[in-house]
Amino acid sequence: MIPEHHVIGLSAILFAIGVLGVLVRRNFIGLVLSIALTFNASNLAFVGFNRFWPGDEAKLHWDGQVFVAVVIAVAAAQVVMGLSVLFSMFRNRNGVDIDEAGA
Amino acid sequence: MDVTAIVFYTMGALIVIAGLGVSFASRDSLVTCLNFLVVMLSTGVIFLLLDAPMIAVLQILVWSGVTGLAMVFAVMLVGRDNRTFRPAGIRLTKIAGGLLVVIVLAEWLRFTADTRSSLPPVPPGYGDSGGLGVALYTDYLLVVELVSLLLLATLVSALVLVDRKAGR
């Protein structure tokens, strides 16, 4: 069987990779995908904790999975906004370099 | 070591390798997108192992289906050059981000020290999509409605941002 702390550890490592990617990336697409990695890490932790405390037959717990459904919807909205910002950036500046966009 | 564990560790290794590819592979934006698709599909398999089939379907539909393909489309629009990284100077954001990583990993070590047990047996009814649906539309109805409002606002504002005439 899978130990619980391995699930949470995988989630923590994925979160660390995502945050470091946000710090390192300068290209817009890499940045948005790195943020999506951190969302995915939190989803993994939510599902893992929900599986760890599933409740009993009388009262099952669904809180973690409900959280994940909401997070997926919010992250989809974030990606859509990122895409439209990417389009306007590309049209007005002819490039998607983040550091130049701030200057 | 049973089949579940073998699949879990294989998918975990795939997630870490492809995640490193998303964050640090520098050559090509398209490679970044394909690595991202691998991460999302492997996470879907792990959700199936953790008895969350509905979440696995949502994951694969929304993340790989919508987000991954939208990103491939964006790569087609803006070009595949992805070689630029940020300069190596130390800034406040980097310090804060590094601190965040250290905190998360320390939390994991503390959790590992406290809890070293396998997953409990599945109670009957857990993993049915019906139970999740009932929870979504009774206890969490307000949250679902708020999320639908958010998606509507996102749709409208994305259209306004992209439309050339309506914008500035």
Side-chain angles (χ1 to χ4, degrees), chain A residues 1-100, chain B residues 2 4-5 8-9 11-13 15-16 19-26 29 32-33 36 39-40 43 46-47 49-55 58-59 62-63 67 70-71 73-75 77-79 81-82 84-87 91 93-94 97-98 100-101 104-105 108 111-112 115-129 131-132 135-136 139-140 143-144 147 150-151 154-155 157-158 161-164 168:
Chain A
M1 285 305 290
I2 311 165
E4 167 71 9
H5 59 276
H6 287 183
V7 180
I8 305 305
L10 181 61
S11 158
I13 291 172
L14 191 60
F15 186 84
I17 291 173
V19 170
L20 293 180
V22 170
L23 295 183
V24 161
R25 279 285 184 205
R26 213 171 153 187
N27 185 290
F28 197 91
I29 294 171
L31 184 85
V32 170
L33 290 184
S34 299
I35 294 175
L37 278 193
T38 61
F39 274 108
N40 196 42
S42 74
N43 285 351
L44 199 56
F46 275 130
V47 172
F49 279 128
N50 198 356
R51 177 67 184 78
F52 194 50
W53 289 287
D56 52 9
E57 198 174 349
K59 175 69 180 156
L60 291 170
H61 295 160
W62 297 103
D63 311 71
Q65 298 195 17
V66 169
F67 258 100
V68 172
V70 172
V71 167
I72 286 178
V74 171
Q78 172 243 331
V79 168
V80 168
M81 287 317 291
L83 265 185
S84 51
V85 168
L86 179 86
F87 282 167
S88 0
M89 229 165 114
F90 186 69
R91 208 165 49 206
N92 293 326
R93 296 178 172 271
N94 222 356
V96 286
D97 192 316
I98 297 161
D99 287 353
E100 281 175 13
Chain B
D2 56 354
T4 318
F8 175 76
Y9 290 116
M11 288 301 149
I15 285 181
V16 171
L20 287 174
V22 171
S23 289
F24 301 111
S26 62
S29 284
T32 307
C33 285
F36 178 76
V39 171
M40 290 306 162
T43 314
I46 286 186
F47 286 167
L49 289 183
L50 293 172
D51 295 289
M54 185 66 193
I55 300 299
L58 270 184
Q59 169 92 11
V62 175
W63 276 124
T67 310
M71 279 302 155
F73 175 68
V75 170
L77 180 76
V78 303
D81 186 21
N82 197 14
T84 48
F85 278 85
R86 289 207 175 145
R91 295 158 79 179
T93 43
K94 285 192 180 176
L100 187 61
V101 169
V104 167
L105 291 180
W108 169 42
F111 182 81
T112 310
T115 315
R116 279 189 177 278
S117 55
S118 287
L119 296 171
V122 190
Y126 187 82
D128 284 354
S129 309
L132 178 61
L136 271 176
D139 294 346
Y140 295 97
V143 181
V144 172
V147 166
L150 173 78
L151 286 178
T154 310
L155 181 68
S157 51
L161 263 180
V162 173
D163 188 4
R164 199 184 281 263
R168 49 205 172 101

